[in-house]
Amino acid sequence: MSRGVLLIVGLGPGGPDHRTAAAVRAVMEAEVVVGYGPYVDQCADLLDPAQEVVRGAMGEEGARADEALDRAAAGAVVALVSSGDAGVYGMAARTLARAASLADPPRVDVVPGVTAALAAGALLGAPFADDFAVLSLSDLHLEWPVVERRLLGVASSGIALALYNPRSKARTWQLDRVLALLVQVRGAATAVALVHDAGREAEAIERATLGTIDPEHVTMRTLLVVAGESGRDVGPWLVALREAAPPVDPAPLRAEAST
Ligand SMILES: C[S@@+](CC[C@H](N)C(=O)[O-])C[C@H]1O[C@@H](n2cnc3c(N)ncnc32)[C@H](O)[C@@H]1O
């Protein structure tokens, strides 16, 4: 049996403008395109009737990964499509883990995409020009205390935050809790931005602070940006100026070093 190949493709955050040339080629050259329905729709302009399209449903990620691997192992050129970058809260990790567990896996390559944080950052200006952290607030695959421990770890560092999966219809208290923690650690005046549907038709930006943000405006189509300690408003833009980070009081560091 001939061997196929599986390409795990990041389609970017929305429209064709943010798709890489490699992602376009991977989808167009595939014999089989596998993906969650809305992601298949996101690349519909690239599809040809001769291609086989396998649309999956939410929550069937494991089955989708297996289907893509099976088809590639059977000799097909397969594109498994994800939004943004497939390696950022997308299909890449679980698919690679499953491939690694196979006795005779097909070749698998990952094609990078523009992740939502970068698309959102560009719309706002350059809020991630200094150090920043990317976190998901979803507790579907990770218990909540772990999400909270990680959030607190990076929040106290003062760097900017890009928060994915911030709130859904079913997950509402989590964002309330995160905002309360961030107000304690960062202060209510800290600038935040809600970037909805970056790169899509419904694209919209809301600016607020940790003290004034309305959680009801945050959905699963929102990337929540929390400015870092070097974040500044310059004209209409939110930017991070590395040189603006407050200096560290050396006394506690000296005390720590001498213990
Ligand atoms: C399961 S994650 C997928 C992330 C994706 N793999 C990426 O790299 O952007 C879904 C979350 O990403 C964020 N997101 C994805 N696309 C977005 C967009 N176009 N605009 C704003 N946020 C987006 C939202 O926070 C959403 O809840």
Side-chain angles (χ1 to χ4, degrees):
M1 190 179 282
S2 67
R3 304 296 289 173
V5 57
L6 170 58
L7 300 170
I8 306 174
V9 183
L11 294 173
D17 285 356
H18 289 149
R19 270 192 318 230
T20 69
V24 170
R25 207 167 45 242
V27 173
M28 291 184 81
E29 290 177 0
E31 293 162 297
V32 184
V33 176
V34 183
Y36 172 48
Y39 300 158
V40 171
D41 293 341
Q42 196 179 321
C43 60
D45 57 311
L46 303 176
L47 300 178
D48 183 276
Q51 289 172 303
E52 185 183 348
V53 176
V54 183
R55 294 170 67 93
M58 178 84 94
E60 293 172 356
E61 289 80 9
R64 231 167 16 251
D66 289 341
E67 169 89 23
L69 283 164
D70 286 351
R71 302 302 295 266
V77 177
V78 182
L80 175 61
V81 294
S82 257
S83 80
D85 182 277
V88 181
Y89 314 122
M91 287 292 294
R94 77 179 67 224
T95 307
L96 292 170
R98 283 171 124 88
S101 72
L102 298 176
D104 187 20
R107 186 179 131 204
V108 184
D109 290 340
V110 182
V111 180
V114 175
T115 189
L118 300 186
L123 289 170
L124 294 169
F128 305 128
D130 191 1
D131 302 328
F132 71 103
V134 169
L135 287 101
S136 168
L137 300 188
S138 170
D139 56 351
L140 291 182
H141 300 290
L142 200 64
E143 54 178 24
W144 181 254
V146 179
V147 176
E148 207 170 293
R149 168 172 59 76
R150 292 178 178 181
L151 177 85
L152 284 172
V154 289
S156 58
S157 73
I159 62 177
L161 307 176
L163 303 179
Y164 285 67
N165 301 304
R167 191 175 193 268
S168 70
K169 285 188 185 127
R171 285 188 306 107
T172 56
W173 65 262
Q174 290 89 337
L175 179 61
D176 298 344
R177 170 94 183 134
V178 162
L179 293 173
L181 289 171
L182 288 173
V183 165
Q184 276 176 32
V185 180
R186 291 281 180 90
T190 302
V192 299
L194 285 57
V195 181
H196 313 287
D197 288 302
R200 303 178 186 142
E201 226 168 70
E203 179 178 283
I205 296 175
E206 291 181 69
R207 294 288 307 272
T209 66
L210 283 174
T212 63
I213 180 176
D214 184 347
E216 296 279 338
H217 288 199
V218 179
T219 75
M220 279 301 280
R221 304 170 75 92
T222 308
L223 194 285
L224 182 56
V225 176
V226 181
E229 61 190 6
S230 57
R232 296 289 181 274
D233 284 308
V234 291
W237 300 290
L238 177 64
V239 303
L241 297 170
R242 203 164 161 78
E243 61 276 22
V248 174
D249 176 1
L253 291 181
R254 273 201 300 271
E256 211 170 277
S258 64
T259 56

